[in-house]
Amino acid sequence: MSLVRWTLTHIAPVFIVTSPVTSYADQIWSIKKSRSSVGFSLDIPLIMLVSSILKIFYWFGAHFDFPLLIQASVMIVVQIVMLYVALQNRPPFGAQHSLNQPFSEAKEGGIMVNRPLNFWQWRSRKPYWQFLAYYTAVLAILQFLLGNRPSYVAIQGYVALGVEAVLPIPQILENRRIRSCKGFRLSVLVNWLIGDLFKMTYFFLSEGGIPWAFKLCGLFQAGCDCYLGVQYWMYGDGSRRSGDESKDSIRVA
C-alpha cells in the first residue's frame, strides 16, 4: 500500500503539471491545421484564464503545493496560445453560429441571445487581450491592498477553483438538450477520468498542504465527469439531428 501511495503521489504531480499541454495541444493543432475554429468554444480559454490567473494570486496567500502553481502558470501560457489561434482562425461574421458553442451564448427558444456589452463575443481581437490585461491589473491591485487578509485569500481560492469547476456543466446540459454525446469523444472522457483519479490521489494523499478549495472543487469536477460517463452510456455518440457540427469538449485533466 505504501508503494502504491508513493507511486501515485510522485507520478501525480508530473501529470498535473503537464496536463494543460496534453489536454489542449491537440485542439490547438486541430484548429491550426484546419484553419477554422468553428465548433470550438471561446469560453474555454475565458474560463481557464480567469481561473488560472486568479490561482496565481491565490498562491501568494495560501502557499499551496508548488506543482499546482506550475500547472496554473503552464495553463495560462497554453490558453493564451489557444485563444490566439482560435481568434486568428475564426470564420467570417455570420458564416457560422457554432463558433462559440456550446455555451458562449444563451439560447431561448432556439434564438441566440447576446451577452451584455457583447462580452467575449467581440468581433475585434483587441478587446479580448484588453480584458485579460485589465483583469490581471485589478487582481494585482486587490492583492496589494487585501492580500494579507485570510478572508480575501479564502475567497480567492473558492472563486478561482469554482470558476474552473463549472467548465463541464455546459457540456452536460448540451448533451441532455440534444440527448446525444455527438462530438464528445470517448477518449477525451477516459482522459478526464484518469486525470480526476490522479488529482484526487494527489489532493488527499499528498503530504504537502492542499487547501480544501482544491479538494472540494476537484470532487465536484470528478462527479461531473462521472455523470458525463453516464450520459455517454445513455445516449451514445450518435445524433438525433443530421448535419450538426461536431463539438470537441476539452478541460484540464
Side-chain angles (χ1 to χ4, degrees):
M1 186 65 184
S2 60
L3 177 60
V4 173
R5 176 172 177 173
W6 183 91
T7 302
L8 290 176
T9 54
H10 284 74
I11 293 177
V14 176
F15 185 88
I16 289 173
V17 168
T18 58
S19 61
V21 177
T22 57
S23 298
Y24 295 98
D26 181 65
Q27 182 68 44
I28 295 173
W29 172 254
S30 177
I31 294 174
K32 187 79 172 177
K33 184 177 180 180
S34 64
R35 297 184 178 181
S36 174
S37 58
V38 172
F40 170 72
S41 173
L42 287 179
D43 282 354
I44 292 174
L46 169 63
I47 290 175
M48 298 312 300
L49 283 169
V50 166
S51 173
S52 298
I53 293 172
L54 184 53
K55 272 195 278 187
I56 297 294
F57 289 100
Y58 176 46
W59 182 85
F60 289 102
H63 297 290
F64 50 80
D65 276 13
F66 196 63
L68 297 174
L69 176 64
I70 298 177
Q71 184 214 34
S73 303
V74 174
M75 180 65 75
I76 291 173
V77 175
V78 171
Q79 294 299 330
I80 286 177
V81 173
M82 175 173 283
L83 178 60
Y84 175 81
V85 172
L87 291 176
Q88 287 285 340
N89 293 277
R90 289 193 299 179
F93 179 70
Q96 288 286 345
H97 292 290
S98 61
L99 171 63
N100 289 321
Q101 291 293 325
F103 54 91
S104 64
E105 295 173 316
K107 286 186 175 181
E108 295 181 2
I111 301 176
M112 306 306 294
V113 179
N114 291 330
R115 294 169 176 169
L117 303 178
N118 290 321
F119 177 73
W120 212 255
Q121 297 172 335
W122 306 297
R123 298 308 302 177
S124 174
R125 302 168 191 165
K126 186 177 180 180
Y128 294 89
W129 308 115
Q130 287 179 327
F131 167 78
L132 292 174
Y134 294 150
Y135 172 71
T136 304
V138 169
L139 289 180
I141 295 173
L142 290 175
Q143 184 67 31
F144 177 76
L145 297 175
L146 305 173
N148 60 344
R149 298 188 180 183
S151 58
Y152 176 70
V153 173
I155 291 173
Q156 281 181 312
Y158 282 103
V159 171
L161 294 158
V163 168
E164 181 179 341
V166 304
L167 185 59
I169 294 179
Q171 183 64 49
I172 290 174
L173 297 177
E174 180 70 5
N175 291 347
R176 184 178 178 83
R177 185 182 69 84
I178 66 176
R179 301 187 67 82
S180 170
C181 294
K182 182 179 180 181
F184 184 77
R185 295 177 295 183
L186 181 60
S187 60
V188 174
L189 175 61
V190 171
N191 184 57
W192 288 7
L193 292 173
I194 293 175
D196 291 332
L197 174 62
F198 276 105
K199 285 197 300 183
M200 291 301 98
T201 301
Y202 182 72
F203 290 167
F204 287 95
L205 298 183
S206 174
E207 296 179 356
I210 305 296
W212 268 100
F214 282 94
K215 297 176 182 179
L216 293 177
C217 293
L219 287 170
F220 179 81
Q221 287 182 334
C224 289
D225 291 344
C226 289
Y227 185 69
L228 281 171
V230 173
Q231 285 188 322
Y232 197 94
W233 174 74
M234 291 172 55
Y235 303 140
D237 59 357
S239 176
R240 297 177 60 190
R241 300 178 301 172
S242 60
D244 281 353
E245 292 291 337
S246 176
K247 300 182 289 295
D248 288 330
S249 301
I250 58 174
R251 181 183 61 84
V252 61

